Amino acid sequence: MDNLDLARWQFAITTVYHFLFVPVTIGMSALVAWYHSAWVRRRREDDLRLAKFFGKLFTINFALGLVTGIVQEFQFGMNWSDYSRFVGDIFGAPLAIEALLAFFLESTFLGLWIFGWGRIPEKLHAACMWIVHVGTLLSAYFILAANSFMQNPVGYRYNPQTKRAELTDFVAVLTNKVQLVTFPHVVTAAYMVGGAMVMAVALWHLRRREVGGDAGMYRRATRLGAVVVLVAGLGVAVTGDLQGKIMTEVQPMKMAAAEALYESSDGNAPFSLLTIGSLDGSEEKFAVTVPGVLSFLATGHFDGSVQGINELKAEYAQKYGTGSPLTADATYTPNIPLSYWSFRLMIGVGVLAALIALLALWTTRGERVPRARWWHWAIMAAPLLPIFGNSFGWIFTEVGRQPWLVFGVMATRTGVSPSVSAGEVVTSMVVYTLLYGLLAVVEVKLFLTYLRAGALPFEEPATPATHDDDAPLAFAY
């Protein structure tokens, strides 16, 4: 492989790894804030215990998400310097705001929440975690604004003297039509992850023989998490439907790739639940299809027409192949099998997570406790399914955009750093992989240690009036 292929592999590995923690951070911050506010409002001991318990799990996840996120910034300068030079004027603005505003907002108020027990008024203390959650949403918004420019470039002009894209309308970048449907889709998917995490952890404790008097607390947490999964899952489905129609409008090749639709359909285009075909996806051997569903996903009408890969490939070759060298490409086609299966896996694992949530609600009604042995595996799968669903969704989003870095403006092959050799990329990739593997071991060990400990017994929290100001700050509460 050359440096282009290796750079793409490295960016894919580091991005997918980082995004394992992002939806957990967004989703769990909201639920921790909910429990803390519930304690302040209702003074129910279980709410404070759960706020502290899930707050520890959230903090562990936040730390690793922070570390791996910083590496993402390095990628642009290390392996994609030509891309950074071309779109830095546009791409840099939302990323800078994300770092200077959202990231510091999250970090500052998370620190206040961790070390503020008994030191600041309890209502202000509870508000700190809500501000952390708002920070995660702002962070997601600005990063998605940058990514949405790559999917549908707006608010810029090309300067032929500098050979760079220059920002002309920052508001247009922030209100990109792709951004306006992607942000709610990503956030509801993150809430689904947060709900699944709370549901799975609480259900694991509920099933333990030694749960004792805490059964009611963990049952309520299980049911709250399951409800969040189902409500958020409905939001994911609605926003995903809207996103599919916008995607078809601005990137019709991505929708064609999602179905491996080579020939255009004038209406009633089917959606295949399963296809067996050639390795490159160009020839269908066997398929289970549902008539009209692809047309509806793409256009909102069951009789809507959908352009196929072959027609779009010829159109792109004529439109982009004879102009700027930045837009020339040999195929104008993404990896069809990967686009096809990542799209279905995204949907499939999300549906499975929702089914587990439904079963959890049904089997925990009243005083019931699910005891079937298969629940052990369902509990382990419950938080992983929506996390993987997020990852499959992003794999589809980025693979389906290929061969473009910025759709219709800059081909992926033109953005790689010309001075970075394949050997240098391999070296950094090996280092990152080993480091990330070590961090994963630390993360999992810490997470499972605090998870098994469960919610600590209730202790009446100190107040600013009774707290010892000379007591040391500590991550132990």
Side-chain angles (χ1 to χ4, degrees):
M1 291 190 289
D2 59 14
N3 64 334
L4 172 60
D5 292 329
L6 290 167
R8 292 178 66 186
W9 267 107
Q10 180 169 310
F11 198 89
I13 291 169
T14 55
T15 302
V16 170
Y17 187 89
H18 170 63
F19 208 79
L20 295 175
F21 309 104
V22 171
V24 180
T25 297
I26 296 174
M28 286 197 70
S29 62
L31 288 166
V32 172
W34 169 269
Y35 276 121
H36 196 165
S37 298
W39 154 252
V40 172
R41 188 173 63 254
R42 296 183 301 205
R43 314 306 293 183
R44 191 167 65 185
E45 294 179 2
D46 290 350
D47 292 328
L48 180 62
R49 294 177 65 196
L50 290 171
K52 291 184 174 183
F53 173 47
F54 288 117
K56 291 178 183 178
L57 302 182
F58 162 77
T59 304
I60 294 167
N61 178 83
F62 180 89
L64 198 53
L66 166 64
V67 172
T68 56
I70 293 174
V71 173
Q72 295 305 101
E73 305 286 345
F74 296 161
Q75 297 287 298
F76 299 115
M78 290 169 53
N79 296 338
W80 300 97
S81 61
D82 278 3
Y83 169 73
S84 300
R85 189 177 298 109
F86 183 77
V87 298
D89 190 49
I90 301 141
F91 209 76
L95 292 185
I97 295 174
E98 186 273 332
L100 295 174
L101 173 63
F103 169 69
F104 284 111
L105 191 70
E106 295 171 57
S107 302
T108 300
F109 283 92
L110 180 58
L112 287 172
W113 189 82
I114 292 173
F115 300 114
W117 295 95
R119 298 176 183 272
I120 57 179
E122 63 177 12
K123 291 184 178 178
L124 179 60
H125 189 210
C128 286
M129 184 53 75
W130 283 114
I131 296 173
V132 171
H133 179 59
V134 171
T136 66
L137 296 180
L138 288 173
S139 180
Y141 193 90
F142 288 115
I143 290 174
L144 289 172
N147 182 267
S148 294
F149 177 83
M150 300 169 71
Q151 314 293 337
N152 180 43
V154 295
Y156 81 103
R157 70 179 182 89
Y158 176 70
N159 187 329
Q161 278 72 44
T162 61
K163 296 183 180 180
R164 297 176 68 241
E166 296 179 351
L167 183 65
T168 59
D169 189 346
F170 188 53
V171 174
V173 173
L174 294 181
T175 58
N176 189 332
K177 66 173 72 176
V178 173
Q179 161 76 343
L180 296 180
V181 292
T182 300
F183 176 71
H185 188 61
V186 169
V187 170
T188 50
Y191 289 151
M192 199 172 178
V193 171
M197 187 67 70
V198 169
M199 175 186 71
V201 171
L203 186 54
W204 183 80
H205 280 284
L206 178 62
R207 282 168 42 85
R208 298 178 72 187
R209 299 294 181 183
E210 60 269 28
V211 66
D214 289 337
M217 176 182 70
Y218 287 122
R219 181 178 289 105
R220 286 190 294 272
T222 298
R223 295 180 67 81
L224 174 64
V227 169
V228 171
V229 170
L230 293 172
V231 174
L234 180 61
V236 170
V238 172
T239 56
D241 178 64
L242 295 173
Q243 191 178 27
K245 291 163 177 58
I246 296 297
M247 179 181 73
T248 305
E249 180 183 339
V250 300
Q251 291 179 295
M253 178 64 84
K254 188 182 290 186
M255 180 57 82
E259 180 52 33
L261 182 71
Y262 277 84
E263 301 301 329
S264 299
S265 173
D266 293 331
N268 200 36
F271 180 83
S272 58
L273 302 177
L274 171 68
T275 297
I276 299 175
S278 58
L279 290 177
D280 62 358
S282 61
E283 184 181 351
E284 179 184 300
K285 305 291 186 182
F286 171 80
V288 179
T289 62
V290 182
V293 172
L294 181 63
S295 289
F296 181 81
L297 290 175
T299 67
H301 304 283
F302 288 103
D303 59 351
S305 61
V306 183
Q307 286 182 286
I309 294 169
N310 291 334
E311 179 183 344
L312 288 166
K313 183 177 178 180
E315 178 184 318
Y316 290 173
Q318 182 178 5
K319 183 176 181 180
Y320 302 114
T322 58
S324 168
L326 286 174
T327 61
D329 188 77
T331 65
Y332 293 106
T333 307
N335 184 309
I336 303 302
L338 186 54
S339 299
Y340 178 92
W341 285 110
S342 59
F343 187 72
R344 277 148 187 79
L345 288 169
M346 171 189 68
I347 297 172
V349 296
V351 171
L352 285 176
L355 289 176
I356 292 174
L358 272 174
L359 287 171
L361 280 177
W362 177 255
T363 56
T364 57
R365 65 194 192 283
E367 299 298 318
R368 295 172 179 82
V369 177
R371 292 297 183 189
R373 295 188 65 179
W374 59 265
W375 268 109
H376 176 74
W377 300 104
I379 288 170
M380 288 194 294
L384 296 177
L385 288 171
I387 289 174
F388 291 156
N390 277 264
S391 296
F392 287 130
W394 274 112
I395 290 171
F396 168 72
T397 297
E398 297 304 297
V399 171
R401 191 188 65 240
Q402 298 305 312
W404 303 104
L405 275 174
V406 182
F407 183 79
V409 176
M410 186 180 200
T412 303
R413 61 172 184 78
T414 65
V416 72
S417 298
S419 60
V420 177
S421 67
E424 290 170 326
V425 180
V426 168
T427 301
S428 61
M429 185 158 52
V430 169
V431 171
Y432 280 141
T433 301
L434 293 175
L435 178 60
Y436 278 12
L438 177 62
L439 289 174
V441 172
V442 174
E443 154 86 5
V444 171
K445 182 173 177 57
L446 277 174
F447 200 88
L448 292 180
T449 298
Y450 280 98
L451 186 156
R452 292 191 185 99
L456 298 179
F458 175 78
E459 291 184 8
E460 186 69 38
T463 65
T466 60
H467 191 276
D468 181 7
D469 291 336
D470 293 328
L473 297 174
F475 176 65
Y477 50 82

